[in-house]
Amino acid sequence: PPQPPALLDDDDWLAPPLEAALGEVFCRFDADADGAWSTAELQSFARTCNGGDEFGEAELSQVGEFTTDGHGRLTRRGFLEMMHLQTMARPEDTWADLRALGYDSSLSPKGVPGSSGAEAAPSEKPESVAAERDARLARTLQSEADAELAAKLAESLQAELIIEEQAAAAAAAAAA
């Protein structure tokens, strides 16, 4: 049988086929298509990969170690970081997750479990759902291309907010 593709590239980052598959996985579980996973979306992913089991409190608290949005929700970049760490430490777990997510050993999707963990039959998948998924993937890929700029903007906005809060506090203290 042919060898499965390498999960990591020469720089020890996610190999392009794995990164592409994980990008699709992120979009699949980003139910509201806002570019970040809520706890419910993260737990849906966990249930699909872990035979119905959700992440425990310890695992959920570790999510903050990866890139999150301003509300502590896991971004696509953070998801890739999380899967990279797992793949570096336990590649067999990444393969198990990929199989649970409907990928074969060539990283091609075979059956695509939905966020409920059930596999959708092709006849149950209307064209509008596929089109919506494709549009969501395109938005996520575009936003990923701008992620570094967005992160810098978010840092800048956070700094401005802190400055505004400090100015308001100083003004209130001076008025008192």
Side-chain angles (χ1 to χ4, degrees):
Q3 282 287 81
L7 295 178
L8 299 173
D9 64 17
D10 292 338
D11 296 322
D12 280 334
W13 181 245
L14 303 171
L18 176 58
E19 189 167 351
L22 293 175
E24 190 281 322
V25 167
F26 184 85
C27 289
R28 188 186 322 165
F29 288 91
D30 186 15
D32 56 8
D34 66 352
W37 281 357
S38 65
T39 301
E41 291 166 329
L42 181 63
Q43 292 292 33
S44 180
F45 166 77
R47 286 190 303 274
T48 301
C49 291
N50 300 321
D53 293 335
E54 294 188 341
F55 288 138
E57 287 302 315
E59 292 162 312
L60 288 174
S61 69
Q62 292 174 349
V63 169
E65 297 174 18
F66 305 105
T67 303
T68 58
D69 67 2
H71 305 287
R73 299 174 313 149
L74 192 66
T75 63
R76 180 180 185 275
R77 182 72 189 170
F79 174 64
L80 294 176
E81 293 165 355
M82 181 178 82
M83 294 304 294
H84 175 253
L85 182 64
Q86 173 180 286
T87 303
M88 292 283 292
R90 297 177 319 279
E92 65 278 2
D93 289 354
T94 298
W95 278 114
D97 290 345
L98 290 165
R99 282 189 297 277
L101 291 161
Y103 288 86
D104 66 13
S105 61
S106 68
L107 294 179
S108 298
K110 290 300 178 190
V112 180
S115 58
S116 67
E119 190 171 321
S123 62
E124 298 171 358
K125 195 172 199 180
E127 290 297 320
S128 62
V129 172
E132 179 183 335
R133 185 198 67 233
D134 292 346
R136 189 179 324 146
L137 177 59
R139 285 192 305 272
T140 300
L141 291 174
Q142 174 149 0
S143 65
E144 180 64 22
D146 297 330
E148 188 173 332
L149 179 59
K152 288 179 181 177
L153 178 59
E155 288 175 21
S156 175
L157 292 174
Q158 183 67 27
E160 287 180 29
L161 181 60
I162 291 169
I163 291 168
E164 289 176 11
E165 289 173 353
Q166 290 172 343

